[in-house]
Amino acid sequence: MGYFRRNYLTPVPRVDSLDELNARLAEFEAKEDERRIGARMRTIAQDFVREAGHLLPLPDDPFATGITLTPRVDRYGMITVKMCRYSVPVRFIDRKVTVTLTCDDLTVYDGRREIARHRRLAGRGAEHLVLDHYLEALLIKPGALERSEALHQARAEGTFTAVHEAFWAAAKKALGDTEGTKVLVKVLLLHRHQQHADVVTGIRGALAAGTFNEDVIALEARKAAQAAGPAPTVATSIPVPEPLDLDPAQVTPLTPRRLARALPADQRPLPRLEQWDELLQLRRKDSS
């Protein structure tokens, strides 16, 4: 480690992302594979090939490389981890959550249930907000959406598309700023249960029909999902029987045939109602 740090990490390399740093480290390792230590005849890569057969196999379960933290959600629906801030659903405000932090990701849990996932931020004081985490609060205060940082980041990431923008503008023009924004928030809630592309297709259909009803958009989204084929979770190995090519004139309904037959006589005894008559004669007990 000391040799590698002195020869490849001094001075500290400047990169724009962790992926770029890992790519450089891979180049350094490839360069080291061709190096010979001292007066040895074989290179480091050749020595490792001979040594690899004597190493123990890797364990079946991956080694957990993250650390666990327990921050508290502030009044803005944010947690602070290693000088960076991340959003969580607003219903967890003022509660302690469990965070698993790795070199790439940050996962937030409430008990054993995952409630948020972010890519780890590197810059000090950086923030990452997910618009979906604030939808319940925006239903109560729709005026906070337009200038929110969560909306700005959703636009930059492409989750809030031009179709959403067109729907929002049309809804505000037809219903007013407050009611139009509430309708948009209800539509955004559909993304929790349906695929993003399907909801966008449903919004296009609603715009073409001139309606702003979220139920119509949900229906159009389901139609788009059905047109795209079965969901990945649906088993496709079960054979589907081919439809029978039958002449309708040759098909005989079973109901008329059953009614045409004489039903067998009912051998059961008639019900007796004497016990029910006795119940009607009973008086309610005196409350005293």
Side-chain angles (χ1 to χ4, degrees):
M1 292 299 299
Y3 170 87
F4 199 93
R5 185 184 70 250
R6 290 190 300 271
N7 287 270
Y8 297 106
L9 300 180
T10 304
V12 177
R14 295 188 176 275
V15 295
D16 295 329
S17 65
L18 187 61
D19 293 335
E20 183 181 352
L21 177 60
N22 288 331
R24 289 197 186 182
L25 293 177
E27 294 176 1
F28 300 155
E29 291 174 354
K31 184 178 180 181
E32 282 295 303
D33 285 342
E34 303 301 323
R35 186 172 65 90
R36 289 178 171 82
I37 299 177
R40 296 181 183 179
M41 296 178 59
R42 292 180 294 271
T43 63
I44 293 178
Q46 292 170 341
D47 281 338
F48 181 75
V49 169
R50 298 183 62 185
E51 184 181 356
H54 302 282
L55 300 177
L56 294 176
L58 293 175
D60 296 332
D61 298 328
F63 180 75
T65 58
I67 60 174
T68 302
L69 305 168
T70 55
R72 183 178 294 275
V73 184
D74 63 18
R75 60 177 179 170
Y76 302 107
M78 305 280 288
I79 57 173
T80 302
V81 178
K82 299 293 184 180
M83 306 301 291
C84 296
R85 304 181 72 212
Y86 306 86
S87 68
V88 298
V90 292
R91 62 182 179 274
F92 297 101
I93 287 177
D94 200 32
R95 289 175 58 177
K96 275 193 172 184
V97 293
T98 303
V99 171
T100 299
L101 181 67
T102 67
C103 60
D104 297 319
D105 302 312
L106 176 140
T107 310
V108 188
Y109 297 92
D110 176 49
R112 296 183 178 182
R113 182 164 57 99
E114 180 181 325
I115 60 174
R117 180 181 290 270
H118 300 267
R119 186 165 181 83
R120 181 174 180 175
L121 301 175
R124 181 175 180 177
E127 295 182 347
H128 185 252
L129 289 79
V130 178
L131 181 58
D132 180 77
H133 293 165
Y134 298 95
L135 295 181
E136 288 84 358
L138 291 172
L139 277 176
I140 302 174
K141 295 183 177 181
L145 174 61
E146 189 166 3
R147 298 178 180 271
S148 65
E149 177 63 21
L151 176 61
H152 172 72
Q153 293 193 15
R155 284 168 171 163
E157 294 171 358
T159 55
F160 194 86
T161 64
V163 178
H164 293 90
E165 299 278 9
F167 178 84
W168 190 16
K172 288 193 295 183
K173 184 178 179 180
L175 307 175
D177 291 350
T178 300
E179 293 302 321
T181 303
K182 286 184 178 180
V183 169
L184 171 70
V185 174
K186 292 177 182 179
V187 171
L188 293 176
L189 286 168
L190 296 176
H191 288 286
R192 295 183 178 180
H193 312 288
Q194 296 174 291
Q195 295 294 327
H196 185 276
D198 296 336
V199 176
V200 171
T201 303
I203 296 174
R204 289 196 182 100
L207 286 173
T211 180
F212 305 102
N213 192 316
E214 64 273 11
D215 293 333
V216 174
I217 297 175
L219 178 61
E220 293 296 324
R222 286 195 292 270
K223 288 181 179 178
Q226 292 174 358
T233 56
V234 176
T236 58
S237 59
I238 301 176
V240 179
E242 296 182 358
L244 298 177
D245 187 11
L246 297 177
D247 185 3
Q250 298 177 355
V251 179
T252 304
L254 295 179
T255 302
R257 294 182 60 185
R258 290 171 178 169
L259 295 177
R261 298 184 193 176
L263 295 177
D266 191 356
Q267 304 295 332
R268 296 175 296 176
L270 294 176
R272 301 179 59 184
L273 304 179
E274 290 84 356
Q275 296 179 349
W276 294 101
D277 293 337
E278 294 176 2
L279 292 176
L280 295 175
Q281 296 175 2
L282 293 178
R283 294 182 178 179
R284 182 178 298 176
K285 293 182 179 180
D286 189 2
S287 59
S288 62

